[in-house]
Amino acid sequence: MAAPALEISGLRAWYGESHILHDVSMVVQPGEVVTLLGRNGSGRTTTLRAIMGLTGARTGSIRINGVEALDLPTHRIAHLGVGYCPEERGIFSSLSTEENLMLPPPVSATDSGMSVEEVYALFPNLKERRTSQGTRLSGGEQQMLAVARILRTGARLLLLDEISEGLAPVIVQALGRMIEALRARGYTIVMVEQNFRFAAPLADRFYVMEHGQIVETFAASELAAKTPVLHELLGV
Ligand SMILES: Nc1ncnc2c1ncn2[C@@H]1O[C@H](COP(=O)(O)OP(=O)(O)OP(=O)(O)O)[C@@H](O)[C@H]1O
Ligand SMILES: [Mg+2]
């Protein structure tokens, strides 16, 4: 059997002296869509950043496709086929959509990444906006561009931080279709979400964080049974 796309065990992480993650463990199989839920400040972004080697000290284990990544620098972690989409998106505002898409270097030796034409087939509205400057794009278009840019690198494990945040419902629906399209293409996705209604129909499995720890984990089939617990943990 193939190694898990991501296997975290006993992960602890710090920012300077602040101990943020306490014993985080999670396993994501290739092709799974997993959502990391939790209240503000529970440690979800820190978990994604720790996977990428962007926190301070870390201990424990983070295996990506079976390779231990804990002691690797961020660029080597990216080369294991991981793409991180931070909350702030990082679109270059003075460049056009297409120029933004031309920036990423391939990170994976085995997978050369989506061509710009493939990106446009998957995101027709980015094609319409190909010459528009980054600043002229709507929040939803910027979010799609941020994800599309990762697909250009050839990453197969996508770490997406609150992609639905602050976007209108119709845009959030379009992002949901994007996640479904990526799932159909076999991408492995770890989504941090506050918007439970967005995540609920998309994810195969859920993890819930509180105070830097995983406090609940369940499959999509258990969602109805877990709803009362989620109300309590998330206040949704
Ligand atoms: N650079 C940093 N330095 C020190 N502490 C930090 C830093 N970034 C985050 N923290 C702290 O780490 C804890 C977890 O933050 P994190 O950003 O992981 O939360 P989150 O679950 O993503 O929530 P949200 O995105 O709603 O803030 C919080 O207490 C936060 O104050
Ligand atoms: Mg966050």
Side-chain angles (χ1 to χ4, degrees), residues 123-137:
F123 303 92
N125 43 341
L126 290 184
K127 185 174 187 177
E128 280 169 35
R129 304 287 266 143
R130 65 201 297 170
T131 60
S132 302
Q133 228 183 303
T135 39
R136 305 254 165 186
L137 302 178

Side-chain angles (χ1 to χ4, degrees), residues 41 44-46 87 161-162 192:
R44 298 160 304 153
T45 296
T46 305
E87 231 178 316
D161 201 349
E162 303 225 38
V192 163

Side-chain angles (χ1 to χ4, degrees), residues 87-109:
E87 231 178 316
E88 54 276 14
R89 298 177 192 144
I91 300 303
F92 290 91
S93 55
S94 61
L95 301 181
S96 71
T97 295
E98 190 146 303
E99 285 165 341
N100 268 281
L101 286 174
M102 297 309 284
L103 285 175
V107 295
S108 165

